[in-house]
């Protein structure tokens, strides 16, 4: 029995009947909210992530101020490399950087693996505190980066448009790439299980850079590890996989243990439904830049999106993270449009 007052997200993930689709926005915590920017001016990034009281306050902001149907814990996917002993710096305006990149067998052997997830206690504490503060208002989402996306940062050392160095590593040293992917996968599974234990009602796995891979390479370097994670968590919490850009994998992933699949705006709702045979809950796929359009246009596009997906087995969301320049009333218009939706 759920003690949640609003469990639309969990019911949609289970494929149960809902009165209306639930709505939340990727990267809703942080980035665009003025109250977040105030905390950002006072505390550096990892202080915000590692102090449960701050992480909780940031996590609750979009629930209180924008009215989303779920909270996503304020943290980052790069806490996994940190737990493995890799230094991660977050430079203002530049994004993440990892000064010591992974290149050799020795680099991989030196990574902390056994019990690495135990050093992330601050995440579990933040989840427990947030769960308490939410007091059943909406479900709480935990998350991690997918193994391929984490490998991208560990090998490349910073963001990239092409991820050519990460791919070069995979193409020239495939055995090492698989060792690294497996180590990341093992820790991620333990990490997500502990998130579930600490109060996460569902978890999302962000494969933000999956779309840098061809369909064949996705099958080699991304899919097996996503499937391992979904399988390992299936008795703990529903898992949402978000393989950004990899529309070609939707059919295979719809047959996995995942409860939901996130999709970006480069695949039409009709095509995503066809590829997944209506077997799985789909989440997405509003172009985040469309939130910069006039409010009436946002509302019209949301209505068309829900018309196309249908109201069942569907979670309204963006197709990737909200960008920092979105006005708060535009974010709210997106959420309100989902709540006001009536079938035509
Ligand atoms: O949904 C949420 O808002 C929860 C918090 C969250 C953050 N990062 C906080 C953050 C989540 C879910 C993430 C995931 C994340 N982090 C991803 C996957 C999602 C995606 O957008 O593809 C990736 C690729 C990262 C790595 C990362 N962290 C980058 C590329 C950057 C810099 C640019 C940016 O804003 O995305 C970060 C820093 C970061 N993580 C910020 C926030 C709010 C911005 C820095 C700041 O506000 O000081």
């Amino acid at each position: 029995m759920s003690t949640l007052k609003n469990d639309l997200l969990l019911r949609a993930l289970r494929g149960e009947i809902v009165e209306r689709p639930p709505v939340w926005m990727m990267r809703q915590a942080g980035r665009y909210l003025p109250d977040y920017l105030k905390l950002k001016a006072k505390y550096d990034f990892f202080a915000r992530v590692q102090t449960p009281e701050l992480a909780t306050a940031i996590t609750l902001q979009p629930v209180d101020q924008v009215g989303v149907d779920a909270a996503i814990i304020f943290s980052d996917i790069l806490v996994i490399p940190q737990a493995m002993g890799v230094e991660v710096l977050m430079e203002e305006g530049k994004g993440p950087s990892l000064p010591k990149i992974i290149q050799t067998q020795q680099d991989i052997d030196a990574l902390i693996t056994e019990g690495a997830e135990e050093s992330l206690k601050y995440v579990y504490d933040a989840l427990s505190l947030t769960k308490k503060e939410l007091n059943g208002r909406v479900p709480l989402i935990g998350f991690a980066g997918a193994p391929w996306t984490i490998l991208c940062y560990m090998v490349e050392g910073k963001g990239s448009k092409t991820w050519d160095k990460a791919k070069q590593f995979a193409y020239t040293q495939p055995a090492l790439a698989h060792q690294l992917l497996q180590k990341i996968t093992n820790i991620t599974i333990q990490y997500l299980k502990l998130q579930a234990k600490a109060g996460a009602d569902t978890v999302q796995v962000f494969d933000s850079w999956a779309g840098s891979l061809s369909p064949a390479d996705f099958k080699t370097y991304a899919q097996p590890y996503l499937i391992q994670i979904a399988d390992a968590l299936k008795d703990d919490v529903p898992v949402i996989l978000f393989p950004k850009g990899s529309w070609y994998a939707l059919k295979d992933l719809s047959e996995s243990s995942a409860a939901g699949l996130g999709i970006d705006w480069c695949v039409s709702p009709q095509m995503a439904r066809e590829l997944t045979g209506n077997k799985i809950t789909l989440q997405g796929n509003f172009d985040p830049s469309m939130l910069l359009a006039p409010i009436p246009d946002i509302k019209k596009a949301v209505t068309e999106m829900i018309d196309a997906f249908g109201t069942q087995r569907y979670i309204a969301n963006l197709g990737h993270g909200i960008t920092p320049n979105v006005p708060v009333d535009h974010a709210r218009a997106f959420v309100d449009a989902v709540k006001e939706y009536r079938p035509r």
Side-chain angles (χ1 to χ4, degrees):
M1 260 299 284
S2 169
T3 52
L4 286 166
K5 295 176 195 94
N6 172 348
D7 64 352
L8 285 171
L9 177 75
L10 301 182
R11 281 193 277 143
L13 283 170
R14 290 195 295 258
E16 296 173 12
I17 303 279
V18 288
E19 309 79 79
R20 64 162 174 89
V23 54
W24 68 282
M25 293 178 294
M26 286 190 275
R27 308 298 300 273
Q28 67 188 18
R31 286 192 153 181
Y32 65 104
L33 286 175
D35 284 344
Y36 172 74
L37 299 176
K38 280 185 211 151
L39 289 175
K40 181 169 165 159
K42 259 173 90 179
Y43 305 96
D44 80 68
F45 182 69
F46 286 109
R48 276 171 271 145
V49 166
Q50 292 166 7
T51 310
E53 290 73 18
L54 291 176
T56 294
I58 297 168
T59 301
L60 296 176
Q61 285 171 359
V63 178
D64 294 332
Q65 299 177 17
V66 189
V68 284
D69 292 311
I72 178 162
I73 195 67
F74 182 76
S75 184
D76 199 79
I77 62 167
L78 297 173
V79 301
I80 285 292
Q82 285 180 324
M84 296 172 90
V86 174
E87 188 186 6
V88 180
L89 307 171
M90 201 58 81
E91 290 164 78
E92 183 56 44
K94 276 176 109 183
S97 88
L98 293 69
K100 268 204 81 216
I101 55 171
I102 302 296
Q103 288 175 300
T104 65
Q105 181 73 59
Q106 287 85 322
D107 294 340
I108 294 178
D109 292 342
L111 294 169
I112 302 169
T113 48
E114 280 313 297
E117 68 282 357
E118 283 156 27
S119 63
L120 298 172
K121 186 170 175 294
Y122 60 85
V123 179
Y124 319 128
D125 289 346
L127 285 161
S128 308
L129 181 62
T130 305
K131 189 80 187 156
K132 194 170 142 243
E133 298 278 319
L134 276 172
N135 195 23
R137 274 179 287 165
V138 291
L140 177 57
I141 306 171
F143 72 90
W148 170 254
T149 289
I150 297 296
L151 176 146
C152 280
Y153 285 104
M154 290 177 84
V155 169
E156 200 100 18
K158 55 183 189 316
S160 167
K161 280 204 166 72
T162 56
W163 300 102
D164 53 304
K165 293 190 191 69
K167 289 161 77 174
Q168 180 182 33
F169 178 72
Y171 299 154
T172 56
Q173 307 191 83
L176 288 192
H178 284 292
Q179 271 185 42
L180 180 56
L181 289 163
Q182 192 58 55
K183 285 190 170 185
I184 299 166
T185 301
N186 296 347
I187 293 163
T188 302
I189 288 171
Q190 296 313 317
Y191 177 50
L192 291 174
K193 280 183 180 273
L194 290 174
Q195 289 193 34
K197 213 172 139 198
D201 296 293
T202 170
V203 293
Q204 173 154 319
V205 183
F206 286 90
D207 214 347
S208 304
W209 314 126
S212 65
L213 295 168
S214 70
D217 290 331
F218 180 90
K219 265 200 167 155
T220 307
Y221 298 106
Q223 182 162 311
Y225 302 99
L226 288 172
I227 287 181
Q228 278 188 49
I229 294 171
D231 282 346
L233 267 295
K234 72 172 191 298
D235 296 327
D236 297 79
V237 277
V239 176
I240 305 168
L241 300 176
F242 175 51
K244 180 167 186 296
S246 300
W247 60 270
Y248 47 75
L250 290 176
K251 180 175 187 297
D252 281 359
L253 294 176
S254 72
E255 290 157 5
S256 75
S257 320
L261 293 180
I263 58 175
D264 61 75
W265 60 97
C266 295
V267 48
S268 70
Q270 292 82 351
M271 186 173 153
R273 285 291 190 207
E274 266 167 44
L275 287 166
T276 56
N278 218 6
K279 277 199 292 286
I280 193 163
T281 298
L282 295 178
Q283 170 177 284
N285 70 343
F286 202 78
D287 179 352
S289 303
M290 184 74 198
L291 292 179
L292 300 170
I295 285 179
D297 296 348
I298 295 176
K299 294 205 159 186
K300 183 166 171 281
V302 168
T303 304
E304 288 165 0
M305 174 174 78
I306 305 176
D307 284 344
F309 276 106
T311 57
Q312 306 301 311
R313 277 195 178 272
Y314 174 55
I315 300 162
N317 203 321
L318 309 177
H320 199 189
I322 187 167
T323 52
N325 54 349
V326 171
V328 179
D329 56 335
H330 286 223
R332 216 176 275 129
F334 171 77
V335 170
D336 287 344
V338 178
K339 294 184 174 175
E340 291 157 7
Y341 178 85
R342 296 290 172 271
R344 291 188 286 181

